[in-house]
Amino acid sequence: MKYVCEICGWEYDETVGDPENGIAPGTKFQDLPEDFVCPMCGVGKENFTAEE
């Protein structure tokens, strides 16, 4: 599953994770820390939309 930032369009892909920011591949979006922010624009998880 992918999650897309509604503000800037950055995509979080659960299969890839975000290794540059310490998030391992396979990490589910709901398992990201509550203080996770978009690495591009800095908004929180509430600003992401799920895409299949």
Side-chain angles (χ1 to χ4, degrees):
M1 176 96 52
K2 292 183 181 180
Y3 291 81
V4 179
C5 178
E6 298 170 354
I7 307 302
C8 72
W10 183 81
E11 291 185 3
Y12 176 75
D13 185 337
E14 292 179 334
T15 60
V16 176
D18 187 13
E20 290 180 10
N21 292 300
I23 300 169
T27 302
K28 300 283 186 199
F29 187 79
Q30 66 263 20
D31 293 336
L32 293 173
E34 286 304 312
D35 62 352
F36 172 82
V37 294
C38 176
M40 293 295 290
C41 70
V43 297
K45 290 171 67 174
E46 68 277 1
N47 293 294
F48 281 74
T49 302
E51 289 189 354
E52 302 255 356

